[in-house]
Amino acid sequence: MEDVKMLIEREIDALKEDIIASTIRLIKVRSVEDEPQEGMPFGKGVNDALVFCEELCRKLGFETKNFDGYALEARFGNQNEDVCVIGHLDIVPEGEGWSVPPYEGVIKDGKIYGRGAIDDKGPSIAALYGMYVVKKLAEEGKISLDRSLRFVFGTNEESGSKCLQYYFKKAKYPTVGFTPDADFPVIQGEKGFLVFELSKNVYGNFYLEGGERLNMVPDSCIFSGDFDLQKAKEIISKKNLEAKAEVYEQDGRGVIKTKGVSAHGSLPFKGENAISYMFDILQDLYEREDEFKRFIEFYNKHIGYDIFGKGLNIAFEDQKSGKLVLNAGMVKKFDDKVVLTVNIRYPVETVYEEIEKEILNVIKDYDVDYKLITDMPPLYFEEDHFLIKTLLDVYKEFTGDDGRPLVIGGGTYARWAKNVVAFGPNMPGDEEVAHQKDEYIAVDRLLMCAKIYANAIYRLAKKD
Ligand SMILES: [Zn+2]
């Protein structure tokens, strides 16, 4: 085994410049989801990235197949079983505040900067070259493989993974595999991901809107209507929310704007929910005895500032994955109803039906309607599973780190495949740069990932 490790190390070192250049080339493509075009279900930018990878895979000697612009598959070998790596080419928009251009792949202080550098272009390129090296050594007869190799580039991970859902309708599930799109040491579990709407018919001439994305803690919420400004100020002061809310008049109507702290929806305890501040204030401010009043009461009694689902009787937790967490991500009043969108990450031993049953039981007293939007069941692999054991071993050999497998509340491609877990590229203690300004991957990390991934692919390609 040691010999193979050294062979791989040498090959990756020799490919260093290619790996860096390919990463930069890919960063230069602004592959943000856009209007669909013929054969480009997620727009031209995303498709350009796919086309670049198709050429690269061919150049590296893989057989390729493009799945109608949804995914690209690269293959080597003709065994029945296979090892599959799945990376994504789409990125979230660059946002503001960058100190370098986000689509040039600038190298500064040993880091390659750009949107997608760590999520997920750099790691995907590292893994692709890792797979190439394993292929090359097998072709040269220096190693033997019991399983075929398959690389899949997806194009829609950031907004629903419709790419993999399409792909796996046409392709078979892998025997084993990983997606280089989260954290080391290895992700053994992902909590269930649930989105639902709670709505109630309300009437009245007021405006309410908060939050932009259901998977983010809302940092702003606005209410406007006819109310006494002075009274609103007193309530805010009594509740010690002066720093969280402002009151002013606009076009003859009162406006309240609450300010929270944004955070990822899987980590609501890191943020402050602007919608919860708003409902707290409305509890004392809103005087009419009507349907909306009932909704305010419902919110404060059964959600409020709680993020573990206690008020909804769904505070489930287990040893393997911890507590359920809840994020009231968006609220909006339409013509005749108010709609609250809630995102829940539930423990791996909880089943959806238990959650639904409890919520229905609570809301029936308030005439609130429940609508399921998405449920992605949890995934979990025991620590002694071949996949977890192998990936953890490889990681340990490279880093000497004695880390444990992780369970996360976020979701990766692993949910849409089978026999696949997330493996790297972030290491314990790393700065969180995915989806942020000045996203980067260190050159050393890129090469380290290529080596770790090559070894992982080789080891997974040997039958246990
Ligand atoms: Zn990603």
Side-chain angles (χ1 to χ4, degrees):
M1 208 66 97
E2 193 57 33
D3 300 347
V4 176
K5 197 177 164 206
M6 275 168 61
L7 282 173
I8 287 174
E9 181 124 19
R10 206 173 309 139
E11 295 286 344
I12 297 287
D13 285 336
L15 287 162
K16 178 178 171 183
E17 295 309 320
D18 290 18
I19 295 171
I20 294 170
S22 294
T23 301
I24 292 172
R25 273 292 312 275
L26 199 48
I27 286 172
K28 289 187 178 192
V29 184
R30 188 177 184 274
S31 49
V32 174
E33 183 176 9
D34 202 352
E35 287 302 301
Q37 296 182 31
E38 170 121 42
M40 308 178 186
F42 308 110
K44 183 161 187 312
V46 172
N47 198 68
D48 286 349
L50 202 66
V51 168
F52 167 77
C53 287
E54 194 166 1
E55 283 165 16
L56 178 61
C57 289
R58 281 213 208 108
K59 215 175 72 190
L60 295 176
F62 289 98
E63 272 175 54
T64 63
K65 187 173 173 193
N66 188 327
F67 285 72
D68 308 316
Y70 283 84
L72 172 75
E73 183 187 87
R75 286 186 161 282
F76 169 72
N78 46 27
Q79 289 92 334
N80 243 332
E81 298 191 345
D82 70 353
V83 178
C84 182
V85 177
I86 314 177
H88 70 89
L89 294 173
D90 59 316
I91 50 175
V92 295
E94 63 282 1
E96 311 214 323
W98 286 70
S99 68
V100 291
Y103 299 108
E104 286 187 15
V106 175
I107 302 189
K108 215 174 71 182
D109 305 327
K111 297 166 180 168
I112 305 172
Y113 285 86
R115 173 59 79 230
I118 193 85
D119 180 21
D120 188 35
K121 291 177 172 179
S124 296
I125 291 292
L128 178 64
Y129 276 90
M131 187 175 279
Y132 164 71
V133 163
V134 174
K135 173 173 84 72
K136 181 169 181 278
L137 293 173
E139 284 168 331
E140 292 169 355
K142 292 177 180 156
I143 57 174
S144 69
L145 307 176
D146 302 328
R147 294 182 168 125
S148 305
L149 307 179
R150 165 163 49 147
F151 204 104
V152 178
F153 285 101
T155 52
N156 182 240
E157 196 275 339
E158 299 291 1
S159 35
S161 297
K162 292 181 275 291
C163 50
L164 275 208
Q165 297 176 57
Y166 184 91
Y167 172 74
F168 280 119
K169 273 185 198 138
K170 310 203 168 220
K172 68 174 186 140
Y173 287 112
T175 314
V176 281
F178 64 86
T179 175
D181 193 23
D183 303 314
F184 288 120
V186 60
I187 308 296
Q188 73 177 149
E190 297 182 16
K191 285 185 180 178
F193 180 96
L194 170 62
V195 180
F196 57 87
E197 287 178 355
L198 297 173
S199 66
K200 183 169 174 67
N201 289 335
V202 299
Y203 308 94
N205 183 19
F206 64 90
Y207 172 90
L208 173 69
E209 185 163 9
E212 282 171 3
R213 293 176 64 173
L214 59 92
N215 62 351
M216 298 296 287
V217 176
D219 62 358
S220 144
C221 184
I222 295 181
F223 174 84
S224 106
D226 297 315
F227 61 85
D228 180 347
L229 266 70
Q230 191 50 40
K231 187 181 169 198
K233 285 179 186 159
E234 282 163 20
I235 289 166
I236 288 166
S237 153
K238 196 184 80 196
K239 290 179 181 286
N240 279 325
L241 291 176
E242 290 102 329
K244 306 294 173 193
E246 53 175 323
V247 180
Y248 53 94
E249 197 181 305
Q250 195 171 39
D251 305 326
R253 308 189 83 193
V255 180
I256 301 177
K257 196 172 167 190
T258 53
K259 223 167 55 201
V261 176
S262 187
H264 196 261
S266 63
L267 311 165
F269 37 85
K270 288 197 172 175
E272 293 176 29
N273 192 315
I275 295 173
S276 296
Y277 285 136
M278 184 61 80
F279 276 97
D280 190 359
I281 294 164
L282 291 175
Q283 179 77 31
D284 292 0
L285 182 69
Y286 194 89
E287 285 173 331
R288 238 162 295 158
E289 292 298 327
D290 62 6
E291 298 295 297
F292 185 52
K293 180 94 186 172
R294 275 303 272 166
F295 193 78
I296 295 169
E297 285 166 3
F298 161 74
Y299 189 96
N300 288 317
K301 179 144 186 234
H302 297 287
I303 297 176
Y305 292 105
D306 167 51
I307 53 162
F308 299 116
K310 290 192 206 89
L312 292 168
N313 286 330
I314 53 168
F316 296 107
E317 73 176 289
D318 60 39
Q319 280 278 325
K320 288 175 176 168
S321 60
K323 290 178 188 318
L324 174 148
V325 292
L326 174 152
N327 178 48
M330 296 192 292
V331 71
K332 188 169 165 63
K333 181 196 176 257
F334 296 90
D335 275 352
D336 57 351
K337 64 177 173 180
V338 60
V339 179
L340 176 74
T341 308
V342 179
N343 179 205
I344 279 177
R345 322 281 169 137
Y346 58 93
V348 298
E349 288 176 344
T350 302
V351 294
Y352 166 73
E353 284 71 19
E354 298 176 71
I355 298 172
E356 190 193 78
K357 192 184 104 205
E358 295 297 339
I359 293 174
L360 292 179
N361 196 34
V362 169
I363 62 177
K364 70 178 190 315
D365 297 337
Y366 294 87
D367 223 358
V368 164
D369 290 321
Y370 175 89
K371 184 176 163 198
L372 172 65
I373 306 293
T374 314
D375 174 48
M376 282 193 280
L379 71 90
Y380 189 81
F381 291 86
E382 296 294 341
E383 243 180 280
D384 58 2
H385 189 283
F386 167 68
L387 188 51
I388 301 299
K389 247 179 23 204
T390 305
L391 297 179
L392 192 60
D393 280 354
V394 171
Y395 169 77
K396 279 184 180 167
E397 279 166 28
F398 271 85
T399 60
D401 173 16
D402 206 25
R404 314 293 318 145
L406 307 168
V407 177
I408 56 172
T412 73
Y413 269 158
R415 286 175 196 274
W416 300 103
K418 282 202 171 85
N419 314 315
V420 168
V421 295
F423 183 48
N426 294 301
M427 293 199 182
D430 274 2
E431 187 185 359
E432 179 71 51
V433 294
H435 298 204
Q436 319 263 343
K437 62 184 179 182
D438 288 345
E439 177 179 347
Y440 70 83
I441 186 165
V443 172
D444 288 351
R445 174 64 57 81
L446 185 67
L447 297 175
M448 169 86 128
C449 281
K451 291 172 187 173
I452 291 178
Y453 291 150
N455 277 280
I457 290 163
Y458 169 65
R459 298 267 280 273
L460 292 175
K462 301 298 266 182
K463 287 193 180 164
D464 44 320

